[in-house]
């Protein structure tokens, strides 16, 4: 089945929202195939966000994402990439509808709770970056 990479950001962990957010993807019917709690290195975060390297918020983003542990996950199921993005809502929580993760739990674009891969190719790249093959069940 199709796989996507989701990551609960430090704000989600800090605010005690891990279970509430994971529950939504489980309830939808996706299968969790890998999960780990990580304090990510600056090197890993810079690779993860390499496409955003020229953005004015890049340094702040990398610093923030390394400020506390994240929950890195791989989820599998039909249409996982697009449907998980829909469950998350828009990048900007202010544009996310109630009922979405970002619409329900966040107000600031720099603290938007959870990352989700934006395409199947990106998902494959991110899964390889964050997990070893033997960590996927
Ligand atoms: P993600 O990759 O986290 O799922 P996304 O693909 O919806 O988000 P991108 O444009 O790739 O959005 O931005 C990656 C992350 O960078 C966003 O989730 C957000 O945390 C941060 N970000 C984006 N735009 C801004 C901004 N204008 N100011 C601060 N942070 C931002």
């Amino acid at each position: 089945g199709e796989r996507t990479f989701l990551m609960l950001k430090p704000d989600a962990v800090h605010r005690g929202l891990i279970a509430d957010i994971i529950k939504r993807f489980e309830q939808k019917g996706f299968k969790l195939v890998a999960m780990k709690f990580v304090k990510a290195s600056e090197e890993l975060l810079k690779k993860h966000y390499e496409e955003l390297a020229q953005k004015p918020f890049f340094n702040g983003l990398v610093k923030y994402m390394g400020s506390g542990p994240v929950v890195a996950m791989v989820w599998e199921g039909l249409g996982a990439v697009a449907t998980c993005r829909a469950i998350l809502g828009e990048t900007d929580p202010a544009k996310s509808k109630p009922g979405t993760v970002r619409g329900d739990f966040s107000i600031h674009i720099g603290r938007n709770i959870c990352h989700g891969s934006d395409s199947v190719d990106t998902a494959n790249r991110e899964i390889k970056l964050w997990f070893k093959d033997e960590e996927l069940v």
Side-chain angles (χ1 to χ4, degrees), residues 3-129:
R3 288 177 169 184
T4 191
F5 175 75
L6 302 183
M7 176 166 51
L8 302 179
K9 299 183 179 187
D11 51 323
V13 175
H14 182 73
R15 291 172 58 201
L17 298 173
I18 295 172
D20 282 327
I21 297 167
I22 288 177
K23 188 179 177 78
R24 295 183 179 212
F25 298 98
E26 284 188 314
Q27 283 177 329
K28 179 68 178 169
F30 291 116
K31 184 185 162 214
L32 185 57
V33 297
M35 176 162 73
K36 62 183 171 187
F37 200 46
V38 197
K39 183 86 182 341
S41 67
E42 190 179 314
E43 187 192 1
L44 175 59
L45 292 166
K46 283 184 167 167
K47 265 191 214 146
H48 175 80
Y49 283 122
E50 69 187 7
E51 279 174 22
L52 301 174
Q54 304 310 317
K55 301 282 185 188
F57 57 80
F58 179 74
N59 287 334
L61 176 62
V62 168
K63 192 173 172 205
Y64 173 64
M65 291 295 294
S67 68
V70 299
V71 180
M73 302 174 284
V74 179
W75 289 83
E76 185 178 281
L78 186 66
V81 170
T83 302
C84 288
R85 293 273 288 188
I87 292 169
L88 289 178
E90 302 296 319
T91 303
D92 183 354
K95 300 189 178 113
S96 299
K97 293 199 175 73
T100 63
V101 168
R102 289 164 176 166
D104 289 348
F105 294 120
S106 62
I107 53 176
H108 192 284
I109 193 166
R111 298 288 184 271
N112 65 359
I113 296 284
C114 185
H115 163 82
S117 307
D118 61 8
S119 71
V120 172
D121 285 348
T122 308
N124 290 333
R125 183 184 85 83
E126 292 173 348
I127 291 166
K128 276 205 193 77
L129 185 62

